[in-house]
Amino acid sequence: MKIGWLAAALILSSSGLARAAPALAELTTPQSDYVEHCSGCHGMQGNSAPAEIPVLRDRVGYFMCTREGRDYLIRLPNVAYSAIGDNQELADMMNFVVFGLGGASAPKSAKPFTAVEVAKLRSRALATQSLIAARAEIVDKMVGSCAVPVSMKFFYDGQNNGQPAR
């Protein structure tokens, strides 16, 4: 039976069929970390809708417009307590999330996260309060002080089913 599989592999490889699939781009470490640690809930492309989980695609960068919003992203329990132990590696992943998945939502003046900043914020994880309430408070401040759309009060565009945001 092993010879049969070997013969099939040789036939496929010599016929070009084995090479028909396009090569996939290799993921960077931050992208790979995102896939492993975040995409299960937030989606491979940062789009979790219609789940009750915040969409990251073209939205997460808005959090960088205030100090509280910026800190919130690192203080989230799944970030602060991440299995990624190296602070620079976690900073790199979060920079991919904010500037890669977040696209143009990040303010032009936003600076990338640093390892020192991540280390400091991880020690203050949002572990004892409602994340929904904390997010709502931060987003209310962002909407009032930055060029942030009111739809950020919801986890994804259209979540309010046409009802106005308050």
Side-chain angles (χ1 to χ4, degrees):
M1 188 56 100
K2 288 181 184 177
I3 294 175
W5 284 108
L6 179 61
L10 286 172
I11 291 169
L12 284 174
S13 66
S14 66
S15 69
L17 291 176
R19 288 179 251 133
L24 297 176
E26 196 166 311
L27 296 177
T28 64
T29 299
Q31 291 169 330
S32 177
D33 284 343
Y34 172 81
V35 169
E36 183 177 348
H37 300 281
C38 309
S39 69
C41 295
H42 290 284
M44 292 291 286
Q45 300 292 320
N47 187 1
S48 54
E52 296 290 321
I53 297 167
V55 165
L56 302 175
R57 169 72 70 195
D58 298 325
R59 295 169 58 93
V60 68
Y62 290 123
F63 283 93
M64 301 295 273
C65 82
T66 65
R67 170 52 59 191
E68 293 89 356
R70 180 184 179 93
D71 291 357
Y72 168 81
L73 292 177
I74 302 299
R75 294 180 65 208
L76 286 164
N78 285 353
V79 177
Y81 299 135
S82 170
I84 300 170
D86 182 79
N87 291 319
Q88 185 60 58
E89 186 175 342
L90 185 58
D92 292 343
M93 184 194 75
M94 290 305 294
N95 289 328
F96 163 71
V97 169
V98 168
F99 299 105
L101 294 177
S105 65
K108 300 231 183 291
S109 61
K111 303 270 189 270
F113 289 109
T114 66
V116 171
E117 179 182 22
V118 166
K120 179 180 136 194
L121 293 170
R122 287 180 101 167
S123 69
R124 298 179 28 234
L126 298 170
T128 60
Q129 63 254 59
S130 163
L131 296 179
I132 292 173
R135 182 186 188 280
E137 182 179 327
I138 289 166
V139 170
D140 279 344
K141 289 178 184 173
M142 289 172 12
V143 168
S145 64
C146 307
V148 173
V150 174
S151 65
M152 279 297 291
K153 292 185 176 193
F154 303 102
F155 289 162
Y156 55 89
D157 289 334
Q159 181 187 20
N160 61 341
N161 294 320
Q163 300 300 314
R166 297 180 195 167

